[in-house]
Amino acid sequence: MTTTAHPRPDVALPRNERLAAIDEFAYRLRHNVIDMGQEQGQGYVGQALGAADILATVYGDHLRFRADDPHWDGRDRFLLSTGHYAIGLYAALAEAGIISRDELLTYGSDDSRLPMSGMSTYTPGMEISGGSLGHGLPIAVGMALGLRHQDSPARVFNFLSDGELDEGSTWEAAMSAHHHRLGNLIAMVDINALQADGATSGVLSTEPVHDKWTACGWRTYRVDGNDTGALLDAFDAAIAEAAPAGSPAIVLCDTRVGKGVPLLETREKAHFMRIDEDEWQICRDQLTAGHNREDVR
């Protein structure tokens, strides 16, 4: 049986039902991340937890795909430009049914299809390989242009980080997308204000980032990236105007590293976390407690 992400915005579901499904997707995604992180005892756990609501909104509601046929020609393409966020994407792929939850526990091990940095040759649903930052949007531009030449209705979703905006190739691609009127391209930026070398503002400030994308000719939305209602509205607006030719769109998402797990939200040196063995269950308990409080509300 062919399956797709559900619910989808072209399905007449009430907004509250869509939000409930996204919130549950994000909660399970975060649990998957913690389970995978424990296998290695460390990793880019904080970024994945922070970006979970973005991934849940896209994979749980907007992306068109077939779980049993990851290479289906009509699929929307999701490009993870930040390869080190792969742990988060694997968690989303499992919730989407593209890979099994059992396989998540092979994360980072020898002969696994789930290496610590994304590799398209290994993982079903991984469109490009991660590596040096700044490659994702240029690839997305070429892919969106190619799909338009093929008269494909497929859209290209590109996930970037705020640190990646330091790369000149990102801005060249941004101008190219506007020049070629790639209305089938929708990007998102995880703005967690943190890089490997410290705070993003101290390494190379990109503010006012909203104005810069707008000046490049993009339809630009900036939201709280951990507010699923705001994310849903922003992606709905971006997709409502998506077309083979038109203005590309970008959703700038302000997020918190470690979101959902208070123990990790305040941890120093959060870019690559080392988590003690006795802390993993605390992480799970805090995540569940927070989710239950939200359910009560």
Side-chain angles (χ1 to χ4, degrees), residues 56-199:
T57 303
V58 175
Y59 268 90
D61 193 275
H62 291 91
L63 201 69
R64 299 182 298 214
F65 64 92
R66 292 179 178 174
D68 58 352
D69 185 9
H71 299 292
W72 170 51
D73 284 345
R75 72 190 184 282
D76 289 333
R77 275 65 168 174
F78 184 92
L79 277 57
L80 184 71
S81 190
T82 50
H84 59 293
Y85 278 66
I87 186 172
L89 182 53
Y90 299 151
L93 293 174
E95 288 308 314
I98 296 172
I99 61 177
S100 73
R101 291 189 183 91
D102 290 342
E103 187 171 5
L104 295 179
L105 299 183
T106 71
Y107 169 69
S109 61
D110 291 344
D111 299 322
S112 172
R113 297 196 302 174
L114 311 179
M116 293 187 73
S117 186
M119 296 286 288
S120 61
T121 53
Y122 291 175
T123 313
M126 184 72 70
E127 297 282 356
I128 62 172
S129 296
S132 299
L133 299 182
H135 292 175
L137 192 59
I139 295 172
V141 166
M143 194 174 288
L145 188 59
L147 288 169
R148 188 171 71 194
H149 284 315
Q150 295 172 6
D151 294 323
S152 171
R155 304 165 303 204
V156 178
F157 291 77
N158 185 208
F159 184 103
L160 305 99
S161 67
D162 51 353
E164 197 167 10
L165 302 188
D166 294 354
E167 304 291 345
S169 54
T170 297
W171 296 103
E172 292 178 51
M175 291 186 288
S176 295
H178 168 63
H179 173 78
H180 291 291
R181 304 190 70 243
L182 298 180
N184 56 348
L185 174 57
I186 301 165
M188 65 213 76
V189 184
D190 177 30
I191 303 177
N192 61 26
L194 182 69
Q195 298 184 34
D197 294 328

